[in-house]
Amino acid sequence: MASRAAGVGAAVGSPYAGGVRATWWYTVAGLVFLDLVVLMNWWLWLGQLPAHAVLPGGPALAALGVALQLGAAAVLVRDYPVAVRPADAEDTVTAPRRRRGAVALAVGAAGAALLGVTTGSWMLGVGVLAFLLSLLPWPGGVRWRLVALLTLVLAGLWVVDAPRLGIDTADADLSTLPPTLILLLPALSAFSLWWWDLVRELDRAREAAAAVSAMRERLRLAGEVHDLQGHHLQVVALQLELAERLIDRDPAAAAEQIRTARASVDEARAGTRDLATRFRGVPLPDELANAADLLRAAGHEVQVELDRGAERAPADVLGPLVRESVTNVLKHGAGRRARISLRREGGMWRYAIANDRDPATPGAAASRGTGVAAMRDRIAALGGTVEVRADDEFVLTVAVPDGARPDAVDGTGA
């Protein structure tokens, strides 16, 4: 199965998923903080200009404008990841996102107008509006062309604002940091979002590479199984055909051919078992992602929590348990909620799955009891434990040592 770690709800299904999420929140916080710093810096700077007159009620109106503009920026930047999700998920969220974006942009424009009027600066009002426009999910190279245009407009407005504010643009001693920040605000926000797009594309490429790797491994296994079984089945068919011809005139020879065919079947089974032992399955985080997808498809609300380094958990041991426990949830659960977790505690990996119970299901307790008993025997042979709790929900917890191997059960491994 493809690696879909980034899409497992609240899970950290891969060692990189938490980093990608942290990068996004760092980007959101950075953009909103940059906007706030620019606005506060500009307001303090204007207050120091001798030609600047503050309108009656100006500080309160300016504070309202700042609040409206920051709120609009937070909504726009929060919705931005929707625009970089896979295309198959975009259609279900485009309309609500567009409505929120339109409302946020209108509110932000009102805040920009308040800031422009109360400060007497066209550059400030248009600058914060340009910042909001740069946060929209523009396609392709439209964003950078828009940023270039807005920067030119802001530069022109600075030429208009400077004389009105009593600033000599030729005076090199006068600090122009606030106007410079306004001038660069659209470009800085566009660069931050471009960086986020790049991080998302790299994360998608990693997921695609994992999917291709898993598919190649499965194709290799399928080829080996086909060659192994095809050879033995052909031999068995010939031996049984010969036995059929000999059974009337030479029963002893026919019986010998049947025994040889049975030996060929045993050899095929042994070869298949050896091949399965040598085959390395998908990493356990992907196994858990597949389990979560299956439960969600059945109508469950699923939460997944994985520790970092979960890909190093003994997948050969826990993988079958994950599949068996998910099957039990589908058969005997009430079909509303499920929780899956995988944690490393000391030298043990602890897998747990919980789901709401459906006591009305006939035979649920007995079926689970038999399955859990067999599971407990297998895990005990590996030095692990199986715990079950059944009250308002059914909770299965399996703990196995780090590095446990399934062949240790029959004594062929360490």
Side-chain angles (χ1 to χ4, degrees), residues 324-366:
E324 184 177 347
S325 61
V326 168
T327 300
N328 279 336
V329 172
L330 293 174
K331 285 183 178 180
H332 309 304
R336 292 189 297 270
R337 299 181 307 277
R339 299 193 315 275
I340 298 174
S341 66
L342 179 65
R343 305 180 186 280
R344 194 175 192 278
E345 299 177 359
M348 306 286 286
W349 283 99
R350 189 174 298 274
Y351 163 72
I353 182 168
N355 66 280
D356 49 340
R357 300 178 64 195
D358 186 6
T361 303

Side-chain angles (χ1 to χ4, degrees), residues 229-282:
Q229 297 289 355
H231 167 72
H232 286 288
L233 288 175
Q234 186 177 10
V235 171
V236 170
L238 291 174
Q239 290 168 337
L240 291 178
E241 183 180 355
L242 180 58
E244 184 181 15
R245 292 179 180 180
L246 294 174
I247 195 168
D248 291 330
R249 62 176 184 270
D250 192 350
E256 180 63 26
Q257 291 299 323
I258 292 175
R259 284 191 293 270
T260 305
R262 188 174 63 181
S264 296
V265 171
D266 291 339
E267 185 180 349
R269 291 172 57 191
T272 303
R273 185 166 54 249
D274 179 65
L275 184 62
T277 301
R278 289 188 290 110
F279 175 66
R280 295 185 63 184
V282 297

Side-chain angles (χ1 to χ4, degrees), residues 14-62:
S14 113
Y16 304 103
V20 172
R21 189 179 299 108
T23 300
W24 169 241
W25 286 114
Y26 175 82
T27 303
V28 172
L31 286 171
V32 175
F33 183 73
L34 174 65
D35 186 26
L36 179 61
V37 167
V38 170
L39 291 175
M40 297 303 297
N41 195 284
W42 184 279
W43 180 260
L44 294 174
W45 177 70
L46 284 179
Q48 297 175 359
L49 298 179
H52 178 252
V54 179
L55 298 177
L61 292 176

Side-chain angles (χ1 to χ4, degrees), residues 115-379:
L115 286 171
V117 170
T118 55
T119 61
S121 171
W122 288 100
M123 185 183 188
L124 178 60
V126 175
V128 294
L129 181 59
F131 171 71
L132 296 177
L133 290 174
S134 67
L135 298 179
L136 296 175
W138 300 99
V142 173
R143 182 192 308 279
W144 290 108
R145 288 195 289 271
L146 177 66
V147 166
L149 176 61
L150 291 174
T151 302
L152 291 175
V153 171
L154 291 174
L157 290 175
W158 172 238
V159 174
V160 174
D161 272 354
R164 297 174 57 248
L165 297 174
I167 299 174
D168 183 3
T169 56
D171 186 359
D173 295 333
L174 183 63
S175 173
T176 57
L177 178 60
T180 302
L181 288 177
I182 287 289
L183 194 66
L184 294 177
L185 191 57
L188 291 174
S189 61
F191 181 80
S192 297
L193 294 178
W194 169 83
W195 173 251
W196 166 246
D197 289 345
L198 182 61
V199 169
R200 285 288 295 169
E201 289 302 321
L202 290 175
D203 190 54
R204 284 201 193 97
R206 178 191 59 78
E207 293 179 2
V212 171
S213 177
M215 185 174 297
R216 285 177 178 173
E217 188 70 5
R218 288 172 181 268
L219 290 174
R220 182 190 67 78
L221 176 66
E224 293 192 21
V225 171
H226 177 271
D227 294 342
L228 176 67
Q229 297 289 355
H231 167 72
H232 286 288
L233 288 175
Q234 186 177 10
V235 171
V236 170
L238 291 174
Q239 290 168 337
L240 291 178
E241 183 180 355
L242 180 58
E244 184 181 15
R245 292 179 180 180
L246 294 174
I247 195 168
D248 291 330
R249 62 176 184 270
D250 192 350
E256 180 63 26
Q257 291 299 323
I258 292 175
R259 284 191 293 270
T260 305
R262 188 174 63 181
S264 296
V265 171
D266 291 339
E267 185 180 349
R269 291 172 57 191
T272 303
R273 185 166 54 249
D274 179 65
L275 184 62
T277 301
R278 289 188 290 110
F279 175 66
R280 295 185 63 184
V282 297
L284 199 59
D286 289 343
E287 189 80 61
L288 294 172
N290 295 336
D293 288 345
L294 184 61
L295 291 173
R296 289 193 182 100
H300 291 72
E301 179 183 341
V302 184
Q303 294 180 352
V304 183
E305 297 180 1
L306 307 185
D307 271 0
R308 290 186 178 275
E311 72 282 353
R312 295 191 295 273
D316 293 341
V317 174
L318 291 176
L321 297 180
V322 171
R323 293 188 289 272
E324 184 177 347
S325 61
V326 168
T327 300
N328 279 336
V329 172
L330 293 174
K331 285 183 178 180
H332 309 304
R336 292 189 297 270
R337 299 181 307 277
R339 299 193 315 275
I340 298 174
S341 66
L342 179 65
R343 305 180 186 280
R344 194 175 192 278
E345 299 177 359
M348 306 286 286
W349 283 99
R350 189 174 298 274
Y351 163 72
I353 182 168
N355 66 280
D356 49 340
R357 300 178 64 195
D358 186 6
T361 303
S367 174
R368 286 194 175 191
T370 303
V372 168
M375 187 184 300
R376 183 177 283 113
D377 291 340
R378 297 199 308 269
I379 297 303

Side-chain angles (χ1 to χ4, degrees), residues 64-65 67-73 75-76 97-115 125 128-129 132-133 136:
L64 177 61
L68 293 177
Q69 199 266 343
L70 285 175
V75 171
L76 291 176
R97 180 182 60 80
R98 286 181 175 174
R99 286 195 294 269
R100 285 196 303 269
V103 172
L105 196 59
V107 170
L114 281 175
L115 286 171
V128 294
L129 181 59
L132 296 177
L133 290 174
L136 296 175

